[in-house]
Amino acid sequence: MITKFSKHFFWLFLIIGFFLSLFLVLNEYFSHQIFIEEYQRQMNFCIESNQKCDIDKLVDRKKEDLNANQLKLVELNMLIINFKNYLINILIIFGIFILIAVIPSIINIYSDIKSRIRLIR
């Protein structure tokens, strides 16, 4: 039997996990939009200043060989590329909160099964 404490514990962690995940997703989304805008600005600046702006070539070069604008382009590109990974990490965090929320219920069910087995013997 699932106790009242287990139900409250589940809903508490479900709500906390949901709102934390919602906050993180919104943060990542708006950050991603800012990164894209800044990347476009930096790329335009790089093109206007007649520098090497091919991102594939810039990624392969050493950081010491890049100027500040090129280095910023590489960093922004990595942030933009890893957006999906960040969202997957947020989903994992939400899953961990759900797992923590379910643990007391699993313990109660295990104890209930264990006591029924003892009664049968």
Side-chain angles (χ1 to χ4, degrees):
M1 182 171 140
I2 298 175
T3 63
K4 191 174 184 179
F5 169 76
S6 296
K7 290 178 186 177
H8 291 301
F9 192 81
F10 172 78
W11 286 110
L12 174 70
F13 270 85
L14 180 72
I15 291 169
I16 290 172
F18 174 76
F19 284 111
L20 175 67
S21 298
L22 181 66
F23 174 75
L24 291 173
V25 165
L26 290 175
N27 182 38
E28 285 300 322
Y29 174 76
F30 289 118
S31 295
H32 183 68
Q33 297 303 317
I34 292 169
F35 296 151
I36 290 173
E37 290 173 9
E38 183 64 22
Y39 179 79
Q40 291 171 351
R41 271 191 236 120
Q42 292 297 325
M43 186 59 81
N44 290 336
F45 179 73
C46 185
I47 292 170
E48 289 173 3
S49 62
N50 296 327
Q51 296 176 353
K52 296 178 183 176
C53 301
D54 185 20
I55 195 68
D56 295 327
K57 291 180 182 177
L58 293 177
V59 170
D60 295 334
R61 292 176 63 187
K62 293 181 183 178
K63 290 185 178 183
E64 296 84 27
D65 297 337
L66 301 174
N67 64 28
N69 177 258
Q70 293 170 332
L71 188 59
K72 191 176 243 185
L73 277 172
V74 171
E75 290 173 354
L76 288 169
N77 185 47
M78 294 306 291
L79 289 171
I80 292 169
I81 289 173
N82 290 327
F83 176 67
K84 290 182 183 177
N85 293 338
Y86 298 141
L87 293 179
I88 291 171
N89 288 340
I90 293 170
L91 183 63
I92 290 170
I93 290 170
F94 183 66
I96 290 170
F97 269 88
I98 297 297
L99 180 65
I100 291 171
V102 173
I103 287 175
S105 298
I106 292 172
I107 292 171
N108 287 339
I109 291 170
Y110 174 75
S111 299
D112 190 35
I113 291 171
K114 189 175 177 181
S115 66
R116 288 183 187 199
I117 290 173
R118 285 184 184 162
L119 286 175
I120 293 173
R121 288 183 186 174

